[in-house]
């Protein structure tokens, strides 16, 4: 048990540093690592991915709060955009969690790995999106929010890999897009994690200390250490070549995706 707790703390510290350093969400790291750890712990193979996804989203609920507060103090969050996207996001994230609850871990693995490979490819080869439309309709907000929330919930992330390009495409600067995306991550994670809790509530073979598809020991370890180490990552960002580090992170995502597919 102590070894498991230490592993969760180490995972949270790694995620916290990367979040502060690169401005990326932790779900892309948390999900494959947790899935691997759960397999090693002999947790029911039918729910390994469900627990990893639900726990990842639950951790984002808590860790996103400090990030949002920090961005808000700098007046970087465009709250009208957050509110206009929120209806679609809440509905999409809820439905994503419900759908994931009906899928097997063996199907969720390639879905997550494919998404992770797409993110890695975008980080390596994608171009910065240029603004094309500065005043999207409410229908656009609803549909886009729904899609971002739905996909994010299925793959257990806060949605920044999709919401940042979308916001920039609709006229936001990179700084405001990142800040607004951080605020968007909260309703995604909240609705998604509640959905995973609901879908897993009646599952018979949940491990001890689980509530639905959320594994509390992992959640606690990740949250504690990630909050502590995120400021350290932010301080490193001013001293290191972040662009080169992003490419290294992209290669790490590829390794994790391939490993997950073969686990």
């Amino acid at each position: 048990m102590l070894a498991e707790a230490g592993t969760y703390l180490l995972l949270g510290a790694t995620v916290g540093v990367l979040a502060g350093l690169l401005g990326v969400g932790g779900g892309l790291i948390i999900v494959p690592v947790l899935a691997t750890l759960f397999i090693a712990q002999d947790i029911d193979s039918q729910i390994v991915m469900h627990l990893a996804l639900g726990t990842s989203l639950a951790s984002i609920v808590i860790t996103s709060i400090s990030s949002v507060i920090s961005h808000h103090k700098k007046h970087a969050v465009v709250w009208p955009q957050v509110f206009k996207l929120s209806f679609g996001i809440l509905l999409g994230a809820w439905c994503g969690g419900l759908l994931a609850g009906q899928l097997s871990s063996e199907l969720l693995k390639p879905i997550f790995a494919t998404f992770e490979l797409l993110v890695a490819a975008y980080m390596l080869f994608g171009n910065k999106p240029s603004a094309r439309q500065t005043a999207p309709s409410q229908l656009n907000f609803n549909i886009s929010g729904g899609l971002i929330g739905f996909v994010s919930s299925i793959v257990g992330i806060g949605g920044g890999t999709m919401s940042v390009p979308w916001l920039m495409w609709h006229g936001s600067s990179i700084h405001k897009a990142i800040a607004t995306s951080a605020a968007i991550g909260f309703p995604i994670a909240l609705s998604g994690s509640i959905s995973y809790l609901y879908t897993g509530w009646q599952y018979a073979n949940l491990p001890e200390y689980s509530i639905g598809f959320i594994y509390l020991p992992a959640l606690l370890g990740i949250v504690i250490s990630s909050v502590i180490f995120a400021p350290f990552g932010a301080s490193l960002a001013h001293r290191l070549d972040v662009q080169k580090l992003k490419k290294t992170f992209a290669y790490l995502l590829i390794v994790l995706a391939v490993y997950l597919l073969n686990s």
Side-chain angles (χ1 to χ4, degrees), residues 20-22 74 175 231-242 245:
L21 183 59
L22 303 178
K74 296 176 182 177
H175 299 294
F232 176 67
S235 66
L236 284 177
H238 299 287
R239 290 178 261 168
L240 301 175
D241 188 332
V242 174
L245 287 170

Side-chain angles (χ1 to χ4, degrees), residues 87-97 145-151 153 191:
F87 174 77
I89 279 171
L90 289 168
L91 181 61
W94 174 259
C95 292
L147 288 172
I148 291 170
F150 182 78
V151 175
S153 185
S191 181

Side-chain angles (χ1 to χ4, degrees), residues 35-71:
T36 302
L37 292 173
F38 292 159
I39 291 171
Q41 294 169 30
D42 292 325
I43 287 175
D44 186 351
S45 61
Q46 296 299 315
I47 59 167
V48 161
M49 284 299 295
H50 304 81
L51 276 176
L53 294 165
T55 304
S56 173
L57 286 169
S59 71
I60 295 169
V61 172
I62 301 171
T63 57
S64 67
I65 294 174
S66 60
S67 175
V68 174
I69 292 173
S70 175
H71 286 301

Side-chain angles (χ1 to χ4, degrees), residues 76-246:
V77 180
V78 183
W79 287 107
Q81 290 183 319
V82 176
F83 297 139
K84 288 179 180 179
L85 284 166
S86 287
F87 174 77
I89 279 171
L90 289 168
L91 181 61
W94 174 259
C95 292
L98 292 182
L99 176 61
Q102 303 306 310
L103 302 177
S104 68
S105 276
E106 291 308 309
L107 183 55
L108 287 170
K109 280 183 183 180
I111 289 174
F112 178 87
T114 300
F115 181 82
E116 196 158 43
L117 290 172
L118 290 173
V119 173
Y122 178 77
M123 294 182 76
L124 289 171
F125 308 113
N127 295 320
K128 177 182 174 182
S130 55
R132 297 185 185 180
Q133 181 182 349
T134 57
S137 65
Q138 185 57 52
L139 180 62
N140 187 334
F141 275 112
N142 289 340
I143 293 174
S144 299
L147 288 172
I148 291 170
F150 182 78
V151 175
S152 299
S153 185
I154 288 181
V155 295
I157 64 171
T161 53
M162 292 175 287
S163 56
V164 169
W166 187 88
L167 290 164
M168 292 179 67
W169 192 65
H170 288 88
S172 291
S173 67
I174 180 62
H175 299 294
K176 287 194 173 182
I178 290 173
T180 305
S181 174
I184 289 169
F186 178 80
I188 289 175
L190 181 63
S191 181
S193 59
I194 293 174
S195 184
Y196 278 92
L197 187 154
Y198 171 77
T199 56
W201 192 260
Q202 298 297 329
Y203 194 83
N205 294 326
L206 289 173
E208 194 176 9
Y209 308 118
S210 295
I211 50 171
F213 290 136
I214 298 173
Y215 188 52
L216 295 178
L219 173 62
L220 186 61
I222 291 168
V223 168
I224 290 173
S225 56
S226 63
V227 170
I228 292 172
F229 279 87
F232 176 67
S235 66
L236 284 177
H238 299 287
R239 290 178 261 168
L240 301 175
D241 188 332
V242 174
Q243 291 306 313
K244 287 184 178 179
L245 287 170
K246 281 191 174 182

